[in-house]
Amino acid sequence: PPPPPPPPTFFFPPPAGKPDAQESRGLGDVYKRQDKAHATSEILVEADMMGHSTHGVRLLPNYVSDIEKGIMNINGNYKIISEKKSNVRIDGKLLPGIWLTKEGLKIGIEKAKDFGVSTVTIGNSHHNGALAAYLKNIVDEGFIAIIKSSVPSNSTVAPFGGTEPLFTPNPMAIGFPTNNLPVIIDISASITTNNMIAEKIANEQKFDFNCLLTSEGVPSNDPLEVRDKSGTVLPVGGMEYGHKGYGLALGIEALSQGLSGFGRVDNPKSMNLSTFIQIIDPEFFSGLNEFKKQMSHTVSKAKANKPIPGKTIYVPGERALTKRQEALKNGIFLSEVTKSSLKEISTRFDENF
């Protein structure tokens, strides 16, 4: 059977029984918190099912800790700062980033149905997990989805040629439909991510290749160089062609921070994320059927391309979707470190694990 999501009681105590009129004051906010908990659980489990273990349920203890510290807000609602036809700008009020991203996607889909293209920006948000985990359901409805995120409260990636951290890995995801499997692209502007670094440290591992720099600019595979010694993560392209990742990082920050109005100039002190969402309805352009025909042809040509000896050509998202199908049958794999941390918070909140 599909693996059950982590219980929403990690986020709030559920109401017991049917409240009377006096007890029901503020109940709407309780159920909003329940929505936030379920949305967060869904995307964390979805990430694990797709093989993105760095952004799966291993993050739940971090989220719980941030709630307890007041870094993640679970009460209230976001604020729409401006809304102009197909475009919406949102202040996330440091609410759960996964819930905010799902809300932004809902708004974007409804506006794309009216205008063909919609753009939603969200600033002042908490962490929003693996971007690929949001895309399948949207693409299955026949839309193209684009998500780009950055974290102005953090920096681990230096501009190409530099040694001082300025950017975050800055992920972006693009999903679109074909006549076969959907294409789900999930990449970042850096060679590796902060959560992968955290996972390597937790498992006392080093990277298999030099994707990091020491504070002196020497290539390294030791994640402790970044966490403890002011080292940085290399942008996509590495030592020779890192201008590509540098440019991508800057562009993602322009769309996510510049357009949302929440960025590095504000100098946020705790987890603070900015997100750019765009939804496109192909029916306003060539039409969904023509779009699928065109992209199915190109994707099939890519898949049939003569491979390098010993290599297999995969369509972006193909392996993740295969893992997802396997997980729906067999459940998800959790590392011993993740299981230990989940058992600990389960005991604290009197939940079964």
Side-chain angles (χ1 to χ4, degrees):
T9 44
F10 283 136
F11 284 78
F12 67 94
K18 186 176 180 180
D20 59 28
Q22 189 170 5
E23 288 174 334
S24 67
R25 282 193 306 172
L27 187 59
D29 193 55
V30 170
Y31 285 112
K32 282 181 182 177
R33 286 187 304 212
Q34 188 170 14
D35 287 343
K36 293 162 190 166
H38 281 301
T40 300
S41 300
E42 177 190 349
I43 293 299
L44 292 181
V45 172
E46 184 76 12
D48 272 316
M49 290 197 297
M50 297 178 78
H52 299 294
S53 62
T54 57
H55 289 66
V57 296
R58 69 170 290 275
L59 294 177
L60 186 60
N62 297 341
Y63 289 179
V64 171
S65 175
D66 281 358
I67 291 169
E68 293 175 326
K69 294 174 183 175
I71 295 172
M72 182 196 289
N73 181 22
I74 58 173
N75 296 311
N77 204 353
Y78 56 82
K79 177 184 177 182
I80 294 180
I81 301 172
S82 64
E83 183 171 4
K84 300 176 182 177
K85 295 185 178 179
S86 64
N87 305 318
V88 179
R89 178 177 170 235
I90 291 173
D91 177 353
K93 300 290 185 180
L94 289 178
L95 290 161
I98 289 175
W99 177 74
L100 285 169
T101 301
K102 285 177 71 70
E103 290 293 300
L105 288 164
K106 290 177 188 175
I107 293 170
I109 288 170
E110 291 306 308
K111 287 192 172 292
K113 291 176 181 177
D114 292 331
F115 297 101
V117 179
S118 65
T119 303
V120 179
T121 62
I122 305 170
N124 199 26
S125 161
H126 199 272
H127 190 258
N128 64 352
L131 302 188
Y134 298 90
L135 298 183
K136 183 180 182 299
N137 290 341
I138 299 169
V139 172
D140 285 347
E141 292 184 41
F143 295 100
I144 301 165
I146 303 168
I147 312 174
K148 304 183 181 187
S149 292
S150 60
V151 186
S153 60
N154 192 15
S155 57
T156 53
V157 182
F160 181 57
T163 59
E164 298 173 338
L166 174 61
F167 306 110
T168 38
N170 294 1
M172 63 174 288
I174 303 172
F176 61 83
T178 73
N179 288 324
N180 299 300
L181 286 176
V183 172
I184 297 177
I185 303 163
D186 187 353
I187 60 175
S188 67
S190 61
I191 294 178
T192 189
T193 66
N194 293 341
N195 280 313
M196 180 60 77
I197 289 171
E199 187 173 78
K200 291 290 187 184
I201 292 172
N203 293 316
E204 299 182 346
Q205 298 173 338
K206 293 184 178 182
F207 287 95
D208 296 332
F209 58 99
N210 292 333
C211 55
L212 313 171
L213 287 180
T214 69
S215 60
E216 301 301 317
V218 178
S220 173
N221 68 342
D222 186 354
L224 294 176
E225 288 289 343
V226 176
R227 192 190 71 175
D228 299 338
K229 303 176 183 179
S230 301
T232 58
V233 182
L234 279 167
V236 163
M239 294 294 289
E240 290 79 20
Y241 302 103
H243 62 281
K244 298 177 184 291
Y246 170 33
L248 185 59
L250 200 56
I252 290 171
E253 299 216 349
L255 294 175
S256 58
Q257 296 178 31
L259 292 183
S260 72
F262 292 88
R264 297 190 183 280
V265 70
D266 305 311
N267 196 28
K269 299 301 183 183
S270 61
M271 166 54 71
N272 196 294
L273 184 136
S274 297
T275 298
F276 170 91
I277 294 169
Q278 195 160 71
I279 304 293
I280 303 170
D281 184 351
E283 292 291 5
F284 281 72
F285 299 89
S286 61
L288 180 58
N289 289 338
E290 181 64 24
F291 178 89
K292 285 183 174 181
K293 184 178 77 172
Q294 293 286 343
M295 295 318 302
S296 296
H297 171 82
T298 303
V299 168
S300 65
K301 287 286 189 181
K303 186 69 178 170
N305 200 278
K306 182 180 178 181
I308 296 170
K311 296 289 185 179
T312 301
I313 297 171
Y314 294 99
V315 175
E318 179 182 353
R319 286 180 289 182
L321 292 172
T322 300
K323 290 177 181 177
R324 185 180 187 275
Q325 286 301 114
E326 293 171 354
L328 287 171
K329 296 177 183 177
N330 304 315
I332 57 177
F333 171 80
L334 299 178
S335 71
E336 291 303 317
V337 173
T338 298
K339 283 192 284 188
S340 176
S341 63
L342 291 178
K343 285 177 182 177
E344 181 182 337
I345 61 172
S346 296
T347 300
R348 286 178 52 210
F349 289 91
D350 194 25
E351 293 288 345
N352 294 323
F353 177 75

